[in-house]
Amino acid sequence: MGEEKEVISHVISSPPFEVEVPQTLHQTGQDSWFQVGLVLTTTVNCAYALGYAGTIMVPLGWIGGVTGMVLSTIISLYASTLMAKIHQYGEKRHIRYRDLAGFMYGYRAYVIVWGLQYANLFLINIGFIILGGQALKAFYVLFREDHEMKLPYFIIIAGLACVLFAVSVPHLSALGVWMAVSTFLSIVYFTIAFALCFKDGINAPPRDYSIPGSSSSKAFTTIGAAASLVFVYNTGMIPEIQATVRAPVVDNMLKALYFQFTIGVVPVHAVTYMGYWAYGSKSSSYLLYNVSGPVWLRGLANIAAFFQSIITLHIFASPTYEYLDTKYRISGSVLAFRNLSFRTVVRGGYLAITIFLSALLPFLGDFMSFTGAISTIPLTFILPNHMYIVAMRKQISSLQKSWHWFNILFFSCIAVAALVASVRLIAMDSKTYHAFADL
């Protein structure tokens, strides 16, 4: 009977709307700001960062790339703090993005934000499994040149490792010591990549830093790179992460965000600029493909990137796990047979679909650009500004409202431009790649 009380839905109302919001069965309000800061920093310094020299700096060049990275850091911090400050809007804790949207705008917004966020997180999870597979393949080819093992096989192995981790770690707050492990793994591959890039750069002839492509293609790749900047620092799930921090929730979340956007962003900036300096326009979308040096050192970096991808995927999958656990009332002992079997079957099934799509379409990064245009930019920049206007309408001046409306219109234009560029990229790459490709 007590368990039922924990999951009974309550109704939050913001006239004239009413939205039912289920109580979560995951742990909330228990983590220190430092642990939350490590979670946020893990999402920034994930192995995706090993690709920014190729995906951001190459299409934008030195001036555009560095300016874009710095501006994205500042703007992302600003947008994230807006979300953090309205976490308790209406004197309620809104532990999910969709709950806050539903409270402010009603049921339709609740459903739309839910769909956009989960589609975005699902594609990000696909990207992490592909990334884990690429890291494993890069490790394999250091020692074998027979090419018998193809990328889809490594993607399956990476996916199975993610299933084991998902079964073992019940919720976001349970990551605990894994945050320290993730930080250590990030330090390993960043340090190795930075050192080897520096060595290669010192010994290499002059590099070509010109932006490749024709005038028309440069315009689209520039827009695509600008959209990619959105992914560098943002999760699209600030309310879900803030739900884990202990009171005072706004002050502690702000501390976590300041940690993320100061100390936390140093590694990603450093390795991105060093990689582009060392290889110029030949920088790849996975920097460890470029580096030369001792085989064991490159192997260690790839294995560290593989394991770190597993931990980071769990962060982005946690809203889905929370929904499923709450819906089916999975609570109590982590090791209880019912809970273990549920996580094995349900989370395993979710990840099985993710693994299949990752192996089927390993160029899904193109589709992530598409999703970024229709969901990540709105969730990260457009909605936070409008929500802040709604929540603080009595406290902010007309000038401040005008500033937020400018942000809304500006990022709406960016989203439309990124959508056009991503559709073009998908159309072009679909002619080149095939299902289950060995990239």
Side-chain angles (χ1 to χ4, degrees):
M1 191 69 180
E3 181 178 316
E4 290 182 2
K5 289 182 180 178
E6 288 182 338
V7 295
I8 293 176
S9 299
H10 68 278
V11 177
I12 56 176
S13 59
S14 177
F17 306 117
E18 284 191 346
V19 179
E20 288 192 359
V21 176
Q23 298 283 359
T24 184
L25 287 178
H26 280 199
Q27 181 174 299
T28 59
Q30 299 297 316
D31 298 345
S32 67
W33 71 263
F34 184 68
Q35 179 169 330
V36 174
L38 287 179
V39 170
L40 292 166
T41 302
T42 292
T43 64
V44 172
N45 292 313
C46 63
Y48 266 121
L50 295 173
Y52 298 150
T55 58
I56 293 175
M57 297 299 294
V58 170
L60 296 179
W62 272 120
I63 296 176
V66 174
T67 302
M69 292 283 288
V70 172
L71 284 178
S72 181
T73 303
I74 297 170
I75 295 170
S76 297
L77 170 60
Y78 177 69
S80 296
T81 57
L82 293 182
M83 287 298 297
K85 289 175 181 177
I86 59 175
H87 184 75
Q88 293 179 300
Y89 172 61
E91 299 182 355
K92 300 175 184 292
R93 285 199 73 169
H94 303 282
I95 63 171
R96 308 175 187 91
Y97 204 140
R98 64 183 185 273
D99 296 353
L100 181 58
F103 186 77
M104 284 188 167
Y105 307 118
Y107 181 74
R108 184 175 297 178
Y110 178 88
V111 173
I112 291 173
V113 168
W114 192 359
L116 290 177
Q117 185 189 41
Y118 276 56
N120 182 53
L121 296 177
F122 179 66
L123 284 179
I124 289 175
N125 290 336
I126 287 177
F128 275 114
I129 291 181
I130 294 173
L131 185 60
Q134 288 177 330
L136 272 185
K137 182 184 176 183
F139 177 81
Y140 174 83
V141 299
L142 288 174
F143 304 96
R144 297 283 297 271
E145 297 182 0
D146 51 26
H147 298 290
E148 290 183 4
M149 289 284 286
K150 307 298 183 183
L151 179 60
Y153 304 149
F154 293 108
I155 287 174
I156 292 171
I157 295 171
L160 291 175
C162 291
V163 172
L164 291 175
F165 194 78
V167 172
S168 304
V169 182
H171 49 74
L172 194 57
S173 290
L175 281 170
V177 69
W178 290 107
M179 288 294 92
V181 174
S182 174
T183 301
F184 172 75
L185 294 171
S186 298
I187 292 172
V188 168
Y189 61 70
F190 275 139
T191 301
I192 294 173
F194 186 91
L196 294 181
C197 286
F198 181 74
K199 175 188 70 69
D200 289 347
I202 289 292
N203 298 322
R207 274 78 71 193
D208 178 17
Y209 296 112
S210 62
I211 299 174
S214 62
S215 298
S216 59
S217 65
K218 285 180 183 179
F220 286 104
T221 55
T222 298
I223 294 171
S228 296
L229 286 167
V230 176
F231 285 102
V232 177
Y233 308 106
N234 299 290
T235 62
M237 47 182 282
I238 289 293
E240 286 82 358
I241 294 175
Q242 191 169 0
T244 66
V245 74
R246 65 174 67 117
V249 293
V250 173
D251 290 342
N252 281 334
M253 188 63 182
L254 290 177
K255 290 179 183 177
L257 287 169
Y258 296 147
F259 177 82
Q260 174 196 3
F261 284 99
T262 52
I263 298 172
V265 299
V266 171
V268 66
H269 278 267
V271 80
T272 299
Y273 304 150
M274 181 59 71
Y276 186 61
W277 171 77
Y279 309 110
S281 60
K282 293 183 179 179
S283 302
S284 74
S285 59
Y286 183 60
L287 197 56
L288 295 179
Y289 285 150
N290 286 114
V291 300
S292 62
V295 170
W296 70 269
L297 202 57
R298 288 184 286 158
L300 178 61
N302 280 300
I303 287 299
F306 165 70
F307 283 114
Q308 204 273 350
S309 297
I310 295 172
I311 298 172
T312 310
L313 181 146
H314 193 79
I315 294 173
F316 285 98
S318 61
T320 302
Y321 298 157
E322 186 275 331
Y323 165 74
L324 293 169
D325 290 352
T326 298
K327 181 176 177 62
Y328 295 101
R329 302 184 179 185
I330 302 301
S331 63
S333 173
V334 172
L335 298 177
F337 175 77
R338 178 175 180 266
N339 296 347
L340 276 175
S341 58
F342 178 86
R343 291 201 299 273
T344 301
V345 173
V346 176
R347 295 186 183 186
Y350 169 79
L351 288 172
I353 297 171
T354 311
I355 294 165
F356 174 75
L357 290 176
S358 301
L360 177 67
L361 300 170
F363 59 95
L364 249 160
D366 297 356
F367 291 93
M368 288 182 67
S369 298
F370 175 81
T371 308
I374 63 172
S375 64
T376 308
I377 295 176
L379 291 173
T380 304
F381 297 116
I382 299 174
L383 262 179
N385 275 279
H386 192 269
M387 285 179 164
Y388 194 78
I389 292 175
V390 173
M392 302 293 183
R393 57 186 176 274
K394 294 181 180 179
Q395 290 100 315
I396 59 177
S397 66
S398 58
L399 181 61
Q400 290 173 305
K401 289 179 182 178
S402 299
W403 163 249
H404 290 294
W405 274 113
F406 169 78
N407 286 329
I408 292 168
L409 294 174
F410 175 76
F411 285 108
S412 296
C413 293
I414 294 292
V416 172
L419 177 62
V420 174
S422 64
V423 169
R424 178 182 178 274
L425 189 61
I426 292 171
M428 292 179 63
D429 284 350
S430 62
K431 299 175 183 177
T432 306
Y433 298 127
H434 57 83
F436 301 104
D438 182 32
L439 303 179

